[in-house]
Amino acid sequence: MGPFGNFALSFSIISVLSGCMTLFGFGLVTGGPAVMMWGWAVVGLMVLAVGAALAEVTSAYPVSGALYFMASKLGGPRWGYATGWLNLLGLLGGMAGGCYGIALFTGAWLNLQWGFTPTPEKTLGIFAVILLLLATLNLFGVRLVSILNSISVWWHVTGVAVIVGALALVPSHHQSPGFVFGEFSNHTGWSNPLYVGLLGLLLAQYTFSGYDASAHLSEETVHAQVSAARGIVRSIFWSWVVGFVLLAGMLFAIQDYAGTVGSATGVPPAQIFLDALGPTAAKALLLVVIVAQLFCANAGLASASRMVFAFSRDGALPFSNTWRRLSRTKTPVPAVWLSVVVPFILALPSLYSTTAYTAITSINVIGITPAYAIPVYLRLRAGRRFVRGPWHLGKWSEPIGWTAVVWVGFVTVLFCLPQTRPEGGGLVSVESFNYASVALVSVLALAWISWRFKGRRSYEVPVQNSDRSASAYEDEVV
């Protein structure tokens, strides 16, 4: 995989046409346009700081294990073990949330095309078919994954241009800038506007995840010390720019706010297309979004399966001997299958809980985001003992690093909190409970039990086998 392929992987996983679109309806009710636009700007800046700090550590340790390998080298095996479990939870939660989002959009397209009614049972069935399709594609090896990711970049950029262009030129009515950048809408049941606005940050924070994929595929990337680090930062920056344009284009084109929120399709972006452009164009643009989401999920599965493989190679997972097996094409086939089975299990609560989807996306955020910050914190703690790679932040390393750590701590706590309030008062109910916190506690407990009874004896961080000779590159300071 070349430098562009590595960048394309993370850009595809961030996927503004996946994250922004699938949580668009959530954003409309948790603060509305004002929180969506300004939240995107603020969260994007903070995530850029997290990504830059992580890229610096990636340049020093370009290995498939990525985050947990870095934590093990900088803080010892216990840090690495805990980081690996958090990273794995986040990646698998991202697979569950991303693929379930595709299922929702596919159900909306089928509704427009043939009057299909997207019940929870039918949506889960579509979700299962999507997981099987992605698993099949990933079994062909990293070369196909790289080709699909390269196509994905241009599909996303062109897709956003087509969507925003159509929504700007075709409708006779558009919302005012005051609406797009100042309208606040709250349908959560909570009365505190600050709390509601903070909840609305989930749309952006969920979208800006998965960029560690550039690090996970370091061993399959040429000149990884520089290419993987650049891939992380560039994927975040360009997603920030493209996503801002997409959100603005969608919000300006809203014709009926209440009708969009309560869309019969179950997908508010589909209603915007339908109201602004008519059924034919709406179906065409929905297909553009669905294909982009499939590209995103395909790249996400590549990243998750490599994480499962690397963690098993180091003896950290139960039945590690199974998950670390490679096919003749050097593809971790059992790891690929595990990386689709677990997301299916995570999505099962969607059958009975209307808030399950946003809870699944929270699992992604509270699992993977702390895993980003741990290597950064350990690098800061190491001080001068940290040996920098050829890509580093120079004098900005500490201020950017501490900004990243504080931000991660803040959003981790935030997205464990209840996101909706039951009608009639009270804090939580069975339907409104945010079980993302349960998933986080469960995984940490599992990691602790596993470490106590097996991990401290079986977990071995391998010798770094990438070429770490910095003499091949010029020293790059950002």
Side-chain angles (χ1 to χ4, degrees):
M1 185 176 288
F4 184 80
N6 186 279
F7 151 78
L9 181 75
S10 288
F11 185 83
S12 296
I13 294 179
I14 292 175
S15 181
V16 295
L17 284 174
S18 181
C20 289
M21 293 299 218
T22 53
L23 282 186
F24 194 88
F26 177 80
L28 291 178
V29 300
T30 52
V35 173
M36 294 168 76
M37 294 304 299
W38 294 111
W40 184 268
V42 172
V43 172
L45 182 62
M46 292 296 100
V47 172
L48 194 59
V50 177
L54 182 62
E56 182 177 56
V57 187
T58 298
S59 182
Y61 301 107
V63 178
S64 287
L67 309 181
Y68 82 86
F69 182 93
M70 303 170 194
S72 296
K73 289 296 184 183
L74 293 169
R78 290 187 180 182
W79 280 101
Y81 202 77
T83 302
W85 278 95
L86 285 170
N87 192 193
L88 189 59
L89 172 68
L91 289 170
L92 296 177
M95 276 298 299
C99 291
Y100 196 82
I102 302 172
L104 291 172
F105 270 72
T106 303
W109 185 86
L110 294 172
N111 175 267
L112 293 178
Q113 183 67 31
W114 292 298
F116 173 85
T117 303
T119 63
E121 293 79 10
K122 292 177 181 177
T123 301
L124 191 68
I126 297 172
F127 173 71
V129 171
I130 291 168
L131 288 174
L132 288 174
L133 171 64
L134 296 174
T136 302
L137 290 174
N138 269 263
L139 295 180
F140 286 98
V142 73
R143 190 175 299 275
L144 177 61
V145 172
S146 180
I147 292 171
L148 291 174
N149 288 335
S150 297
I151 297 172
S152 171
V153 172
W154 302 113
W155 186 275
H156 275 80
V157 173
T158 305
V160 169
V162 169
I163 290 171
V164 173
L167 293 176
L169 297 175
V170 176
S172 58
H173 168 74
H174 289 90
Q175 298 291 342
S176 67
F179 171 86
V180 172
F181 293 97
E183 178 71 15
F184 183 86
S185 177
N186 174 20
H187 297 275
T188 64
W190 301 107
S191 58
N192 188 317
L194 177 61
Y195 181 70
V196 173
L198 291 176
L199 289 178
L201 299 181
L202 177 60
L203 181 153
Q205 189 66 50
Y206 167 67
T207 304
F208 285 114
S209 63
Y211 47 84
D212 56 314
S214 289
H216 283 295
L217 271 79
S218 292
E219 293 180 24
E220 298 166 83
T221 301
V222 297
H223 307 318
Q225 281 188 289
V226 172
S227 298
R230 286 176 175 172
I232 291 172
V233 176
R234 289 175 177 175
S235 64
I236 295 170
F237 176 78
W238 286 112
S239 295
W240 189 23
V241 173
V242 174
F244 190 87
V245 173
L246 176 64
L247 286 175
M250 295 290 292
L251 291 169
F252 272 113
I254 291 177
Q255 306 296 304
D256 177 7
Y257 198 94
T260 300
V261 172
S263 173
T265 67
V267 176
Q271 194 63 46
I272 293 176
F273 295 155
L274 193 62
D275 293 343
L277 305 172
T280 301
K283 288 183 282 188
L285 292 186
L286 270 179
L287 283 178
V288 171
V289 174
I290 291 169
V291 172
Q293 292 173 338
L294 286 169
F295 278 129
C296 166
N298 187 64
L301 181 55
S303 180
S305 61
R306 268 54 177 188
M307 172 61 199
V308 171
F309 162 74
F311 214 30
S312 299
R313 181 176 62 181
D314 301 340
L317 291 181
F319 311 108
S320 289
N321 289 335
T322 299
W323 314 127
R324 68 187 181 191
R325 291 175 184 169
L326 296 173
S327 68
R328 287 181 298 175
T329 61
K330 304 300 181 183
T331 302
V333 174
V336 169
W337 287 115
L338 182 66
S339 300
V340 296
V341 170
V342 174
F344 181 80
I345 295 172
L346 287 176
L348 288 176
S350 65
L351 291 172
Y352 63 84
S353 173
T354 56
T355 59
Y357 177 63
T358 51
I360 293 169
T361 56
S362 293
I363 288 176
N364 172 245
V365 171
I366 68 172
I368 207 167
T369 309
Y372 292 158
I374 291 173
V376 175
Y377 165 73
L378 294 174
R379 176 262 176 276
L380 293 169
R381 193 180 71 167
R384 295 184 181 275
R385 291 186 292 109
F386 174 72
V387 180
R388 298 186 307 192
W391 194 102
H392 57 83
L393 296 170
K395 64 181 181 179
W396 293 99
S397 181
E398 287 200 7
I400 290 177
W402 284 115
T403 298
V405 171
V406 171
W407 175 256
V408 167
F410 167 70
V411 296
T412 300
V413 173
L414 175 63
F415 296 134
C416 284
L417 301 177
Q419 296 169 348
T420 58
R421 191 176 185 181
E423 294 183 8
L427 292 178
V428 292
S429 66
V430 173
E431 287 196 349
S432 65
F433 181 70
N434 184 354
Y435 77 98
S437 56
V438 175
L440 177 62
V441 172
S442 299
V443 133
L444 290 176
L446 181 61
W448 181 81
I449 294 170
S450 177
W451 173 262
R452 289 277 298 178
F453 292 98
K454 182 186 177 184
R456 56 183 174 181
R457 294 188 300 273
S458 63
Y459 176 60
E460 296 179 3
V461 179
V463 176
Q464 187 168 340
N465 54 12
S466 297
D467 179 12
R468 294 202 56 231
S469 174
S471 62
Y473 313 104
E474 294 181 0
D475 199 49
E476 180 175 339
V477 180
V478 177

